[in-house]
Amino acid sequence: MTRPLPDGEVLGLGRLCGDGARDWIRSGQPVRGLERIEARFAGEGYEPHRHDTYAIGVTIEGVQTFRYRGVSWHSLPGEVVVLHPDEIHDGGAGTAHGLRYRMLYLDPARLLEAGGSHAGLPFVPAGVVADARLSAIVASMLADLDNEIVDMALDDRMVLLADALALHAGQERAHAGTIARDAIARCCAYLTEHHEAGIGSAEMEHVSGLDRFTLARQFRRALGTSPHRYLVMRRLDRAKRLIGEGQGLADAAISSGFVDQSHMNRHFKKAFGMTPGRWAALSRSAA
C-alpha cells in the first residue's frame, strides 16, 4: 500500500549543500534500452525535472521522498518507485540518515515491445508500489551493475516487468492462446545441443520463428522457466558431470560454457544450494 506524505515534509534542497563528500552516483554497465544507477544522498538530490524514460527503482536504505503528480511520496526499503515518462518529479532523502537506492531508466519503446498484447504503455497511478514480486523483478535487473545483463535473461525480465506494471496499471491481457509446442521443442533441443556456446536472442528467434518476447512468454507458459534459465541449467548439468569425472572446477566451468569459475559458482549455488567445490567434496566422500 502506498503512503503519500503531507506537503512540506520533504527535506529541503539546502540539506545537500556542504555534504557532497557523503553523496554519490554510480552508473552501471550499459544495457540495451535502459540505464542503471545506484546513488546515495543525505538530503534532496534532485530538483524538479522530467525525462522521456520510465524511472523504476528500489529503495535499499533509508526513506526515499519525492513529489510526483501533485503528491509527496515516500518509499521504504524494498518498495518500488515507478515514475512515468515526461512527468515532473524531484527526489531525495526523507530522514537525516540519508538514502541509498538503485534505479533503472527504461526506454518506453522497449517496454511497449515487451508488453505483448497489453494495450499501450502501462501507467501506474501510484508513485510507490509495495509488491514483493515487482520488487524482486526490478532488483534482479539492478543486482549486478558492473556487468551487462545477458541477452536472453534481459528479454525474460523485460516480459516479467511489463506484465507486472500492466497489472498495477489495471491493463487486461488478451487471451494467451495456444502454446507453440514445436517452437519450444526446437529451442530446447538447440539449447541442449549448443549449451557450451554463447547463444543470443537473435539466434533463438531464428530457431523458434518467434520474436524474442513472444518466445520468452511461450517458454514460461510451457516449461515454467525462461530460455536463459534453461540454458544455464544445461550448463550446470554438464559441469556437474565433468566435476564428477574429476575435472578441475575452472576447466569444468569453461568447458560448460560459463565465463569463468566464479560465474559457474554463482549459478551453481543458486541452483543447488551449495558451491561446486563442496558438491565435489561431498561426492568424493560418498564414493
Side-chain angles (χ1 to χ4, degrees), residues 36-235:
R36 301 177 297 164
I37 68 162
E38 180 177 352
R40 185 202 182 278
F41 292 110
E44 187 171 339
Y46 301 100
E47 296 186 40
H49 66 286
R50 63 184 181 183
H51 33 73
D52 63 354
T53 62
Y54 278 92
I56 305 171
V58 176
T59 303
I60 299 173
E61 296 174 359
V63 180
Q64 185 171 5
T65 64
F66 57 96
R67 186 165 180 81
Y68 172 70
R69 293 183 60 80
V71 177
S72 293
W73 298 89
H74 74 290
S75 170
L76 302 178
E79 295 182 332
V80 181
V81 173
V82 181
L83 307 179
H84 200 268
D86 209 33
E87 291 283 351
I88 295 176
H89 59 280
D90 56 12
T95 72
H97 298 290
L99 158 75
R100 187 163 68 92
Y101 68 95
R102 288 191 173 188
M103 186 77 69
L104 60 88
Y105 298 95
L106 175 60
D107 182 346
R110 296 287 297 147
L111 189 62
L112 189 63
E113 186 182 8
S117 59
H118 295 309
L121 289 174
F123 180 80
V124 179
V128 178
V129 178
D131 177 350
R133 180 173 178 272
L134 176 59
S135 181
I137 294 167
V138 175
S140 74
M141 299 176 75
L142 293 165
D144 186 2
L145 297 185
D146 295 325
N147 294 290
E148 296 185 26
I149 304 176
V150 177
D151 219 17
M152 287 194 293
L154 178 58
D155 294 339
D156 183 61
R157 291 171 192 175
M158 284 291 296
V159 165
L160 294 175
L161 178 61
D163 287 351
L165 291 177
L167 178 65
H168 285 283
Q171 292 181 344
E172 293 186 5
R173 283 192 50 80
H175 190 271
T178 59
I179 295 176
R181 299 183 186 278
D182 290 344
I184 300 302
R186 289 195 302 273
C187 289
C188 289
Y190 190 87
L191 291 170
T192 299
E193 183 177 356
H194 302 283
H195 64 268
E196 76 286 353
I199 300 175
S201 295
E203 196 170 346
M204 296 312 299
E205 286 180 326
H206 178 74
V207 171
S208 67
L210 305 172
D211 71 82
R212 62 188 62 198
F213 297 117
T214 299
L215 174 60
R217 293 180 188 282
Q218 287 276 328
F219 212 94
R220 276 200 174 274
R221 287 185 63 213
L223 302 178
T225 191
S226 68
H228 178 254
R229 181 65 177 163
Y230 187 91
L231 173 62
V232 168
M233 291 307 300
R234 303 293 75 74
R235 289 173 175 170

